Amino acid sequence: FRKYNETQTDDPDYNTWQLHKMPIRKSFCDSWYTACANDYFCGEGDFFACSADYDKTQAMIASKEAAALEEEENKKMTGLVIGLIVVGALAVVGVNAAAFLYYREKQGNPVFTPVDAGVST
C-alpha cells in the first residue's frame, strides 16, 4: 500500500511513508479527523520545521509579554508623575495662601477678624 516503492526514488514527490489506496474503515478516519480537527500543524508537518516555528513563536510571545510588562510599568510611572504634579501644585497653592495671610496680617488688614464682642444676640 505504499505509494512509492524503492525503484521510484528519482520521483520528485518520493517519500517512504505515504500510503495509497489502503483499505481503512470510514469510522476510523472520521474519528481521527474529529480528534485532530482543531489542531494546527506548522510548516509542512516536519518535526524539525515545527520545532523551529515553536522556538520562534515562544520568542515572539516572550517579547510581547515583555513589551506589555514595560507598558504597564510606564502606565504606573505616568500615574505616579501625575500624582506628584497634583501634590506639588497643591503645596504651591498652600504656601502661597499662607504667604498671603501672613502678608495681610503684617499690613494690619487681616483676612480673618474676630466677631464683634458688642453685638447682642
Side-chain angles (χ1 to χ4, degrees):
F1 297 107
R2 297 277 179 202
K3 185 168 184 174
Y4 301 102
N5 60 34
E6 287 77 26
T7 62
Q8 297 173 311
T9 56
D10 58 341
D11 189 315
D13 294 329
Y14 174 78
N15 59 56
T16 59
W17 57 267
Q18 190 172 358
L19 300 176
H20 184 67
K21 293 186 179 182
M22 181 176 170
I24 300 176
R25 294 185 65 186
K26 181 183 183 305
S27 62
F28 177 76
C29 289
D30 289 343
S31 63
W32 192 6
Y33 176 78
T34 303
C36 299
N38 293 326
D39 292 348
Y40 297 103
F41 297 98
C42 53
E44 295 183 20
D46 181 16
F47 171 77
F48 298 105
C50 288
S51 176
D53 287 346
Y54 178 78
D55 292 340
K56 288 177 191 174
T57 302
Q58 292 302 314
M60 186 171 37
I61 289 171
S63 68
K64 284 182 181 180
E65 287 176 353
L69 184 60
E70 183 177 336
E71 184 177 329
E72 186 176 322
E73 288 293 324
N74 287 341
K75 285 181 182 178
K76 287 180 182 178
M77 190 61 78
T78 302
L80 178 65
V81 168
I82 290 172
L84 289 174
I85 289 172
V86 168
V87 168
L90 289 174
V92 168
V93 168
V95 167
N96 285 336
F100 176 73
L101 291 174
Y102 179 76
Y103 174 75
R104 292 283 300 261
E105 287 286 333
K106 286 295 185 179
Q107 291 274 327
N109 189 15
V111 175
F112 302 107
T113 57
V115 179
D116 261 350
V119 176
S120 63
T121 55

